[in-house]
Amino acid sequence: SAVISQKPSRDICQRGTSLTIQCQVDSQVTMMFWYRQQPGQSLTLIATANQGSEATYESGFVIDKFPISRPNLTFSTLTVSNMSPEDSSIYLCSVRRTGSDTQYFGPGTRLTVL
Amino acid sequence: AQKVTQAQTEISVVEKEDVTLDCVYETRDTTYYLFWYKQPPSGELVFLIRRNSFDEQNEISGRYSWNFQKSTSSFNFTITASQVVDSAVYFCALSSTGANSKLTFGKGITLSVRP
């Protein structure tokens, strides 16, 4: 497994502002992923973040709204830009090590947009 | 396209009862992985098990057991002698094999265990 931390753990933000969520892993990993979980819903993949390349976004998610950075093999950030109440969700990062087929998840960031 | 169906949305049991959570999947891949994750009220997603498509042996881990039936495309999860701490949302998920594989989640089952 991997030890994954996320900051902040929760936040309440105003409409129109942006929030950057950090994901830190205790060891180098190849693949990092960002998910959104809207209230009472399942997880939806936002994008895959690989070190040294642009993130790959899923259908319905765009870089202008959810810019992602992956500066090294242990860290990634997701920014939720120009937020609206519909962005209120839990945002989770996950990692998968090279040679492993299991994704492990961070504790999540609970975002409320007023 | 891959799909995971968890037809049960909410289950409520009394402590010490056994409970089975159903999962049915669809995939065109010949090799794939199946997973169960637990999400307690705190929100983190806890990995429980991964099963390879070529391994149909059932697995038991303490009070947890998993029944993989490739013929019916099902991967069911049974909790024996349930406890209040088992109360959580349980997700079944599916992925292809390979470096770029992605997880497809079911909608989740909310399990409430009453004392």
Side-chain angles (χ1 to χ4, degrees), chain B residues 14-69:
Chain B
V14 176
E15 209 169 18
K16 297 184 183 177
E17 284 186 17
D18 298 346
V19 59
T20 295
L21 311 180
D22 298 334
C23 175
V24 174
Y25 63 92
E26 296 175 30
T27 181
R28 294 179 183 174
D29 295 333
T30 53
T31 59
Y32 48 89
Y33 294 106
L34 294 161
F35 303 83
W36 277 94
Y37 289 87
K38 173 183 179 180
Q39 188 175 42
S42 54
E44 79 269 26
L45 214 63
V46 178
F47 165 73
L48 296 178
I49 190 172
R50 184 191 79 199
R51 172 61 68 209
N52 301 336
S53 57
F54 50 83
D55 181 3
E56 287 195 68
Q57 281 193 346
N58 291 329
E59 182 153 342
I60 298 174
S61 176
R63 296 184 297 108
Y64 295 171
S65 62
W66 291 269
N67 183 355
F68 176 33
Q69 297 277 349

Side-chain angles (χ1 to χ4, degrees), chain A residues 31 33 35 37 40-43 45 48 50 56 58 90 92 96 100-108 110, chain B residues 33 35 37 39-45 47 50 91 95-103 105-108:
Chain A
M31 307 288 284
F33 307 85
Y35 288 83
Q37 186 181 22
Q41 302 297 312
S42 187
L43 284 79
L45 180 63
T48 302
N50 294 329
T56 303
E58 298 298 302
I90 299 175
L92 299 108
R96 189 174 71 218
S100 171
D101 294 287
T102 299
Q103 283 189 33
Y104 295 94
F105 286 79
R110 289 182 184 268
Chain B
Y33 294 106
F35 303 83
Y37 289 87
Q39 188 175 42
S42 54
E44 79 269 26
L45 214 63
F47 165 73
R50 184 191 79 199
F91 291 97
S95 80
S96 305
T97 59
N100 295 320
S101 61
K102 304 171 189 175
L103 277 174
F105 283 89
K107 292 185 181 295

Side-chain angles (χ1 to χ4, degrees), chain A:
Chain A
S1 63
V3 177
I4 307 165
S5 60
Q6 282 186 235
K7 289 182 182 179
S9 58
R10 59 178 65 230
D11 208 341
I12 301 173
C13 300
Q14 296 298 319
R15 179 196 299 260
T17 62
S18 298
L19 176 72
T20 295
I21 302 168
Q22 300 179 4
C23 179
Q24 179 76 53
V25 191
D26 66 339
S27 57
Q28 295 183 348
V29 293
T30 306
M31 307 288 284
M32 294 184 78
F33 307 85
W34 286 98
Y35 288 83
R36 181 177 73 182
Q37 186 181 22
Q38 295 176 301
Q41 302 297 312
S42 187
L43 284 79
T44 301
L45 180 63
I46 298 172
T48 302
N50 294 329
Q51 193 264 339
S53 62
E54 296 247 341
T56 303
Y57 288 82
E58 298 298 302
S59 175
F61 297 96
V62 295
I63 188 172
D64 290 346
K65 175 67 176 176
F66 297 102
I68 288 171
S69 77
R70 179 85 196 271
N72 57 53
L73 290 173
T74 64
F75 186 78
S76 178
T77 66
L78 168 75
T79 299
V80 186
S81 303
N82 188 24
M83 289 183 287
S84 67
E86 292 70 38
D87 294 320
S88 297
S89 299
I90 299 175
Y91 292 86
L92 299 108
C93 74
S94 75
V95 304
R96 189 174 71 218
R97 296 182 190 283
T98 303
S100 171
D101 294 287
T102 299
Q103 283 189 33
Y104 295 94
F105 286 79
T109 296
R110 289 182 184 268
L111 171 62
T112 302
V113 184
L114 303 177

